[in-house]
Amino acid sequence: SSLSSSRYLCAGPPTQLSRVVTTMAMVSQPVMAPPLALERPPPGLERPCVASSRVSSHGLPLDALRSESTGSSVSTSAKDMHPKSAPSSRDHSLLGGSPVWLSQDSAGSLALAIDEPAYIRLGECLSPVNTSVGDALSETSLSSHSERSVLEDPWRHSQDPAGSRRVQDALDEASDEAREAALKEFHGRAVKAMCDPHANHVLQKCISIMAPTSLQFMVDELLERDGLATAVARHRYGGRIVQHLLKRCSASQVSGLAEALMQETVALACHSFGNFPVQHLLQFGTEEQRHRLAQTIVSNAETICRSKVGAGVVAAALEHASSEDKLLIAQAVLLEPGLLVELAQCRHGHSAVLRMLQMLDGQDSLQAHMGLAMGIATLRASRYGRVVAKHLEEKTLHVTVQ
């Protein structure tokens, strides 16, 4: 294995050296690699560690080593330290367990010194490591360390695309205790995170994998100020969080949030992003909440139906509301001339019209079919209207055959 980052090795006074051993990287198959960049570590970070290096007994005879009696020394230049120029030998020894360090003399030569620490740069900080080939940090341990460090400050990492993805991945692998601790970093910042293009995905991940009781602070922060909940519901990213809270949390948890949304049902139903929380409330709300929303739609049928996005709210009401409320909505649409044809041309409105035709009967059904037949040319010219026009033609043919 190899250590890929730049290495920073300590240097010290020559007087502290007991002996000097010139070293080369001896491997049976030389590997092309750039020379090590050597310099002193920052003051205060010289923590000792155990390091070892391989030297060749044939390439560097022991009688060339520095001795205390003669004071002579042998050093190797930086060029000679390159693995490419190292002599090949299968007979090499290991100086294991001895603290070693590289120093640089005035002539620019490199030497291996004994009894000093070695350092390697990992990320943005210097840390002592064992430089033995077999003791290099594994990718798994580095990955685990990265996940832990990300969850120690999830708010900061969540505000950029790459960091947001790392936090989400770390949350998937983390324990319940670690998730709870990470989520606490968003307390007091929930609304800001909801409206952040990257952090909102982290909150969505928390909502999907954590217990609803742990999400209460999000609901509480939405209700801290009047109008804040509806403002977030209309936000491009914040609206997603509101939808997930309505879906994931219990009715008692989001009762205040639902009440705030129902106070502005019409405005939200006609908003490009706000209509989705209303649809979720129709789908996951209580029976009483669905009924109140349906009554609002009946009272404001023309305004909501003439809005392209409001047609989706009408379709959701016709799917999830009670049978009585569905009928009242269909009858309210029929009261407005031309509204049924206009609704049939919308992306979500045409499915609502088909539902109305199935539930209406008697005079109401006849009125609906006649109104659509009068606008058949307009329906055929519309992408979604053609679906309704085809339904009318098939039904007319069926009646004729009978």
Side-chain angles (χ1 to χ4, degrees):
S1 59
S2 63
L3 298 176
S4 59
S5 55
S6 300
R7 304 185 178 191
Y8 292 78
L9 304 172
C10 285
T15 57
Q16 296 180 359
L17 306 181
S18 59
R19 57 186 179 141
V20 178
V21 180
T22 307
T23 184
M24 296 180 181
M26 301 300 298
V27 293
S28 58
Q29 298 295 330
V31 181
M32 294 296 293
L36 300 179
L38 304 178
E39 67 182 51
R40 294 176 182 271
L45 292 181
E46 294 90 345
R47 292 178 292 174
C49 69
V50 176
S52 61
S53 178
R54 299 182 184 273
V55 297
S56 171
S57 58
H58 295 294
L60 295 174
L62 296 178
D63 58 0
L65 301 179
R66 176 179 178 178
S67 64
E68 295 182 359
S69 61
T70 62
S72 61
S73 63
V74 179
S75 63
T76 304
S77 65
K79 179 180 179 181
D80 294 333
M81 288 293 293
H82 198 291
K84 180 179 180 181
S85 60
S88 176
S89 173
R90 295 180 179 273
D91 183 13
H92 54 272
S93 60
L94 180 65
L95 298 179
S98 299
V100 298
W101 65 309
L102 285 181
S103 63
Q104 185 171 4
D105 60 19
S106 58
S109 298
L110 302 177
L112 180 65
I114 305 300
D115 299 330
E116 293 294 341
Y119 286 83
I120 178 171
R121 179 175 291 274
L122 295 177
E124 295 299 326
C125 62
L126 285 171
S127 60
V129 298
N130 190 309
T131 56
S132 301
V133 174
D135 294 330
L137 292 177
S138 65
E139 294 182 3
T140 302
S141 61
L142 289 175
S143 176
S144 300
H145 174 75
S146 176
E147 290 178 0
R148 290 195 300 269
S149 63
V150 164
L151 291 183
E152 287 174 359
D153 191 6
W155 168 243
R156 178 173 63 86
H157 291 285
S158 297
Q159 297 178 70
D160 65 84
S164 176
R165 288 190 291 270
R166 287 197 298 270
V167 173
Q168 294 175 62
D169 292 340
L171 286 171
D172 278 330
E173 302 297 330
S175 63
D176 292 340
E177 294 76 10
R179 291 172 179 174
E180 291 287 349
L183 193 58
K184 287 182 180 179
E185 295 295 320
F186 292 90
H187 286 210
R189 301 164 173 163
V191 174
K192 186 175 181 180
M194 291 176 190
C195 300
D196 186 272
H198 311 298
N200 81 87
H201 295 288
V202 176
L203 291 187
Q204 291 184 58
K205 172 62 71 173
C206 292
I207 293 172
S208 65
I209 65 176
M210 299 186 69
T213 53
S214 302
L215 313 174
Q216 186 62 46
F217 76 97
M218 300 185 195
V219 179
D220 295 339
E221 290 188 30
L222 284 171
L223 301 177
E224 285 181 352
R225 300 195 313 270
D226 292 340
L228 182 59
T230 54
V232 174
R234 286 191 289 264
H235 193 273
R236 176 187 294 271
Y237 308 120
R240 303 172 185 175
I241 305 300
V242 174
Q243 295 171 52
H244 286 294
L245 289 174
L246 292 173
K247 178 180 179 180
R248 189 83 168 85
C249 297
S250 63
S252 59
Q253 278 186 275
V254 296
S255 59
L257 177 59
E259 185 64 33
L261 297 178
M262 288 188 292
Q263 295 297 321
E264 298 188 32
T265 298
V266 178
L268 290 173
C270 299
H271 191 273
S272 55
F273 301 120
N275 75 92
F276 296 110
V278 177
Q279 293 186 47
H280 270 65
L281 190 55
L282 283 164
Q283 182 177 358
F284 302 104
T286 64
E287 290 294 334
E288 189 270 338
Q289 291 167 351
R290 293 192 187 101
H291 175 69
R292 289 178 57 185
L293 290 171
Q295 290 296 317
T296 303
I297 294 173
V298 170
S299 304
N300 301 272
E302 183 177 9
T303 301
I304 297 176
C305 289
R306 294 191 187 280
S307 170
K308 292 183 179 181
V309 296
V313 175
V314 176
L318 291 173
E319 181 178 0
H320 301 292
S322 63
S323 300
E324 295 78 7
D325 289 332
K326 292 178 182 179
L327 183 58
L328 290 174
I329 292 173
Q331 291 174 341
V333 173
L334 288 176
L335 292 176
E336 301 294 333
L339 186 59
L340 194 63
V341 175
E342 189 171 343
L343 188 64
Q345 299 176 65
C346 298
R347 177 182 178 182
H348 301 289
H350 78 282
S351 61
V353 170
L354 293 177
R355 287 181 179 276
M356 292 180 190
L357 295 177
Q358 293 176 357
M359 69 180 64
L360 291 172
D361 56 8
Q363 189 65 28
D364 291 334
S365 178
L366 179 61
Q367 181 181 350
H369 282 85
M370 289 183 61
L372 292 171
M374 292 178 62
I376 193 67
T378 303
L379 294 176
R380 288 172 177 169
S382 170
R383 174 184 176 183
Y384 300 106
R386 283 194 288 270
V387 178
V388 179
K390 182 179 180 180
H391 172 78
L392 291 175
E393 293 168 354
E394 291 176 351
K395 189 170 184 178
T396 300
L397 179 61
H398 178 72
V399 171
T400 303
V401 171
Q402 286 183 340

